[in-house]
Amino acid sequence: MAPSRTEPLDFDAPQPKVAYDINVPYNSGPEEYERRIRENSEFPEYLPVWEKGLWFDDFPIFEYHDPALRADKTKPHLLTSNVKIQAVTPRMGTILTGVKLETLSQEAKDEMALLICERKFVVLREQSDFLHAGPQFQVEFMEHFGKLSRQPVTGAIKGFPQFHVIHRDGNEEEIKTFFKHKMTTTIWHHDVSHERQPPGYIMLGILACPDIGGDTVVADTAMAYQRLSPVFQDMINKLKVNHTSRHLIAHAKASKGAVRCNPIDSIHPMVRVHPVTGEKAIYYNAEFPDEVFGLKDQEAEVITRFLLDFIRMGHDFQARVHWEKNSVVMFDGRTTLRRS
Amino acid sequence: MTEVSYHRYYCLLAFSDTGTVDYDTTMQTRHLFRLAAMTEVPISVEDWEKAQQEMEDKS
């Protein structure tokens, strides 16, 4: 039988000193804490749960047709006359006000996909109706954009393992402990890049957020690639990288958390080409890669450190998403690296 | 890289990490969900160029 969080694990690693990612819980809290959180939440059905005995086999490779390739480039179904459009920066990020996600036609969803490809991320304000439409509706909405990934270790919604739930409240002691060992809580990341077909379209729905703080920073990794010299581009074009979920799963096991699948290793190109825009983008993050093919170890250490340092310091190809209540944000996972 | 610029480089690294996102003990409740739609197997530059060439040859 596959392991779940309520069964003994054949793993004697010491309990980790700090959270793998302070933004995400890897286990439920004490009963009294859970009860108080449920009573005070506007969305109690979206609080993270770790269901028993849930196990996923590897996804077989599937054929994928990007909805953006079907879209009308002028986007008449999405950008109707009552929609207010605001750019976050000249190059990336668009804020749309007046779109009702729950009523979008198939054509409008295709156009949304194209807008996400072109602008890297789209912020949709005033989505209370969509957020209250329930998990089944939201899953069906997102399935328009691709097959949904299932969470290997983190809390999900009961009956919907496609949901990755980020819920933090009252964990001041954990944060203090974290800062005794770490300098920053933030991780530059791609979502589940260890998948063989990693996510290209990602939705974040905001159920509760502070008035100030907790922003997400987005880096445009296609623009970062363009800033490199042709010689350097040619060199990294040839590299391949192994992305693995081994460390994530080992952390969850050591924390006595849920594990729902075996570790996955996938070899991806260091530079990937966007099938809709044709842009070349650096596909490397600080979390899942563990081996670069095509370089010696010391060379790989220098090159990967340089790439990540360059992306995180390049504030002229980054944008900051400020969360507001009832917002939904959709990202292009192929040409962005995010920090939250 | 001189000693001075090397030092400045690593100071920049340290502070660029902490200057972008705010998350500390004063944070209030934060509750989000993520749904992630998986798409194509990442396409390498070599495979893309090969596919483009094949398309050109056909046309």
Side-chain angles (χ1 to χ4, degrees):
Chain A
M1 170 121 182
S4 78
R5 66 191 293 272
T6 52
E7 292 151 14
L9 291 161
D10 181 20
F11 192 87
D12 56 1
Q15 185 85 4
K17 284 185 198 161
V18 295
Y20 179 89
D21 176 350
I22 195 75
N23 295 292
V24 182
Y26 282 80
N27 221 324
S28 53
E31 208 172 301
E32 172 57 24
Y33 168 82
E34 293 289 320
R35 189 187 58 75
R36 184 176 61 77
I37 294 294
R38 275 177 203 285
E39 282 174 2
N40 293 326
S41 175
E42 185 186 344
F43 293 91
E45 72 275 28
Y46 285 81
L47 288 167
V49 294
W50 287 264
E51 289 183 85
K52 288 181 194 172
L54 215 50
W55 185 260
F56 311 127
D57 292 325
D58 283 3
F59 270 114
I61 294 284
F62 58 92
E63 200 172 324
Y64 179 71
H65 301 282
D66 200 306
L69 292 169
R70 303 189 291 256
D72 183 331
K73 289 183 173 53
T74 64
K75 307 178 190 70
H77 304 89
L78 176 68
L79 305 179
T80 53
S81 57
N82 59 328
V83 173
K84 185 181 161 203
I85 307 165
Q86 189 186 348
V88 177
T89 78
R91 289 185 193 279
M92 68 187 300
T94 295
I95 301 172
L96 298 181
T97 311
V99 169
K100 291 183 77 63
L101 275 182
E102 68 282 1
T103 65
L104 288 188
S105 63
Q106 302 301 303
E107 292 85 358
K109 288 180 199 167
D110 292 347
E111 292 166 15
M112 177 72 83
L114 180 58
L115 185 64
I116 294 165
C117 295
E118 292 170 345
R119 298 290 296 168
K120 319 300 183 204
F121 67 92
V122 175
V123 182
L124 298 132
R125 300 292 191 206
E126 301 170 358
Q127 297 302 325
S128 175
D129 289 346
F130 179 78
L131 292 170
H132 283 92
Q136 181 65 41
F137 185 89
Q138 290 146 2
V139 162
E140 286 169 13
F141 179 92
M142 274 306 285
E143 281 176 340
H144 183 84
F145 299 88
K147 196 185 280 278
L148 298 189
S149 81
R150 298 166 303 195
Q151 294 315 305
V153 296
T154 55
I157 294 175
K158 195 174 178 194
F160 293 95
Q162 305 94 330
F163 281 80
H164 166 71
V165 180
I166 300 158
H167 180 271
R168 294 315 242 170
D169 190 18
N171 59 325
E172 290 88 353
E173 285 306 312
E174 188 185 4
I175 295 169
K176 279 180 192 162
T177 305
F178 189 89
F179 279 125
K180 280 184 190 162
H181 299 275
K182 304 283 183 183
M183 290 163 64
T184 175
T185 58
T186 57
I187 301 175
W188 279 107
H189 67 279
H190 286 121
D191 295 316
V192 293
S193 65
H194 48 80
E195 294 283 1
R196 291 186 182 88
Q197 290 175 259
Y201 295 102
I202 298 139
M203 167 183 280
L204 285 174
I206 315 307
L207 305 170
C209 63
D211 296 333
I212 302 167
D215 292 1
T216 293
V217 180
V218 186
D220 177 348
T221 51
M223 180 52 65
Y225 176 83
Q226 284 182 41
R227 298 275 172 83
L228 299 169
S229 68
V231 172
F232 200 94
Q233 288 174 346
D234 279 349
M235 191 266 289
I236 64 170
N237 284 351
K238 299 180 181 78
L239 301 178
K240 292 193 184 300
V241 178
N242 189 58
H243 295 241
T244 183
S245 59
R246 243 178 297 136
H247 309 300
L248 177 71
I249 286 182
H251 180 92
K253 284 183 176 176
S255 308
K256 313 297 179 210
V259 173
R260 307 186 188 105
C261 61
N262 287 320
I264 302 172
D265 280 49
S266 297
I267 297 172
H268 298 314
M270 174 73 89
V271 178
R272 69 184 292 183
V273 184
H274 197 292
V276 177
T277 64
E279 289 175 298
K280 298 181 182 103
I282 300 166
Y283 197 63
Y284 192 83
N285 61 65
E287 191 175 8
F288 297 116
D290 74 338
E291 190 172 357
V292 178
F293 301 102
L295 293 175
K296 295 185 180 182
D297 292 349
Q298 289 92 337
E299 293 170 338
E301 196 180 318
V302 171
I303 296 296
T304 56
R305 187 170 180 172
F306 161 74
L307 287 172
L308 284 174
D309 289 349
F310 155 61
I311 290 168
R312 66 183 178 177
M313 287 195 294
H315 297 297
D316 54 346
F317 49 81
Q318 295 175 4
R320 188 167 177 139
V321 178
H322 171 61
W323 302 117
E324 276 180 20
K325 191 170 162 55
N326 295 325
S327 294
V328 167
V329 181
M330 296 183 74
F331 298 96
D332 187 330
R334 299 168 281 200
T335 54
T336 61
L337 199 60
R338 293 172 307 283
R339 165 164 240 168
S340 58
Chain B
M1 198 180 276
T2 66
E3 196 178 326
V4 172
S5 63
Y6 186 85
H7 174 72
R8 184 168 174 273
Y9 176 69
Y10 279 96
C11 283
L12 274 174
L13 278 188
F15 289 106
S16 68
D17 259 359
T18 54
T20 49
V21 177
D22 333 287
Y23 187 19
D24 58 28
T25 53
T26 64
M27 281 281 288
Q28 302 153 19
T29 304
R30 193 161 183 256
H31 190 187
L32 300 84
F33 69 75
R34 183 188 79 201
L35 287 170
M38 299 187 293
T39 55
E40 77 283 354
V41 174
I43 306 163
S44 69
V45 174
E46 186 186 3
D47 287 346
W48 177 260
E49 287 173 352
K50 206 183 289 176
Q52 297 298 107
Q53 189 60 51
E54 281 172 10
M55 277 170 63
E56 273 179 34
D57 293 346
K58 274 183 193 166
S59 60

